[in-house]
Each structure stands twice: as C-alpha cells, then as structure tokens.
Amino acid sequence: MSELLVDFITSLDGHASGEGWPGFWGLEGPEYLAWLGEQPEATYLMGANTYRLMSGFAAGEVPKGQDEFRPEEEASVDELTQASKVVFSSSLEEPLTWANSTLVRDDAVEAVRAMKSSGSELLSTIGSLSLCRSLLRAGLVDRFRVVMFPVITGATGEERIYDGYPDVALEMIEHRTFDGRIQLVEYRPRVLEHPPLVVPA
C-alpha cells in the first residue's frame, strides 16, 4: 500500500507564500537544500491552481516581483518536471503540457484512496491547500510534514494553510533544524470528531 505525505513549506504564521517574497522566502541554506536532494522519489499530487502555477514556472514564467529564477528555485522546478505528477481538475483540458503529468477528473478523495490501495510508491502533495484539506478530512494522510521558515508574513502572507481544517491530533515522528534557522516537524495525523476529553500527559 502506498503512503501519503502532505508536505508544506510555510512561514511561521502558516502562510504558504507571500507577495513579493522569493521561493523558500529566500532563506534556504545548504543543509536544507542537501536534505531536499536526498528525498525519495514520489508521485506528486496537486490541484489545478498549483498545476497552473508550477507548470508556468517550468515553462519559464518568473514569479511576480522577481527578474529571474534563483538557481535553487530553478533546480526545484527541474526536479518536479522529471517527477510523476497527478493533477486533479475538472477545468483543465488534455493533453497537459507539463511533462510527466496525468489529468484525473474523478473525485480526488476516491482516486487517491484507490491509488493508495493499489500502489507501493510514495504519494506526496505539493501546494494544493484544498486538496490536502480534503485528503486529511478523509483520513487518507499517513504523514503530515511542515517545514517552517523563520519569517512572519503578517502584511504580505498569502494562502493561509489551516483555515477550514478540522481538529487534528498530531503524533510527532520527526523533527530537525536546518542551517540553524529552518524547522522541520513531521507528524502522524488523526482527525478528531471533537476535542479530547483528557489532554495526554
């Protein structure tokens, strides 16, 4: 059975991006980039908005507020281009232009449930906040990983990640600090129907 990882890169205040900020908020370091390069191969899951954004980057569209890609951003996009990608959308049309991308029009939750039961490869989300929320609500997420960058984007932050989420209990399975400033936390999530009557000691 495949394992599903929800994977977020965030500001400390839970934004997935910020207007005018470069990728990784411009704060990535050598330890973090080396760790990214060591990650196992995965099939990436995304929705239409993330696909439009990332495929645009792959085609050479530079993020707003930048004149050109930084080498770290370019390498990240190149790696995604080589990876297998599944895009859930009822609005996109085939054929998808970004290499190694498959369009799925079926219900994302049921499609991912089937992918998990029939496969053995790692499945990982990229961006796609509403897709991640739906997969978590359905109890399909095995690991929930957040890499927090040391910045608060109260004025410019976009894409608030946790709005609309259910209550979720998180069992920590990994934590690490990169470059003395970037914090990784990884959990096994359990969606709660109501707050626990007793808080674990």
Side-chain angles (χ1 to χ4, degrees):
M1 175 176 276
S2 293
E3 188 176 47
L4 174 59
L5 168 69
V6 162
D7 195 17
F8 286 128
I9 298 172
T10 80
S11 63
L12 182 61
D13 53 338
H15 289 106
S17 64
E19 184 179 358
W21 291 85
F24 306 118
W25 287 269
L27 296 168
E28 73 287 339
E31 286 183 11
Y32 175 66
L33 293 174
W35 174 80
L36 279 182
E38 296 164 358
Q39 295 308 295
E41 286 188 13
T43 294
Y44 291 97
L45 313 179
M46 67 189 75
N49 290 338
T50 297
Y51 173 83
R52 290 186 183 101
L53 179 70
M54 298 304 297
S55 63
F57 293 161
E61 296 175 16
V62 178
K64 269 192 305 187
Q66 291 180 234
D67 295 325
E68 59 184 13
F69 283 111
R70 295 178 303 126
E72 296 82 4
E73 295 170 313
E74 199 166 286
S76 180
V77 172
D78 287 347
E79 288 173 10
L80 279 172
T81 297
Q82 299 304 316
S84 296
K85 298 170 286 291
V86 176
V87 185
F88 299 99
S89 174
S90 59
S91 59
L92 293 172
E93 297 293 336
E94 293 186 295
L96 296 179
T97 57
W98 196 10
N100 304 309
S101 298
T102 301
L103 178 63
V104 174
R105 295 190 180 281
D106 298 335
D107 176 75
V109 167
E110 293 309 314
V112 172
R113 196 187 308 277
M115 291 172 68
K116 284 192 65 176
S117 64
S118 64
S120 58
E121 76 282 6
L122 175 65
L123 305 174
S124 178
T125 61
I126 179 167
S128 309
L129 303 188
S130 61
L131 173 65
C132 294
R133 187 169 57 238
S134 297
L135 297 175
L136 186 70
R137 280 187 180 278
L140 294 176
V141 178
D142 301 292
R143 292 190 287 141
F144 190 91
R145 185 167 72 192
V146 180
V147 176
M148 290 176 291
F149 283 75
V151 61
I152 294 172
T153 54
T156 58
E158 298 178 338
E159 300 179 290
R160 286 172 53 89
I161 291 175
Y162 304 113
D163 289 354
Y165 263 56
D167 286 354
V168 183
L170 299 168
E171 175 194 350
M172 182 170 281
I173 56 175
E174 180 66 59
H175 62 90
R176 182 172 173 182
T177 301
F178 301 104
D179 303 295
R181 61 178 182 268
I182 303 164
Q183 186 68 49
L184 174 149
V185 286
E186 185 171 333
Y187 305 97
R188 294 204 186 282
R190 180 170 54 89
V191 177
L192 302 175
E193 293 184 10
H194 51 73
L197 299 178
V198 178
V199 177

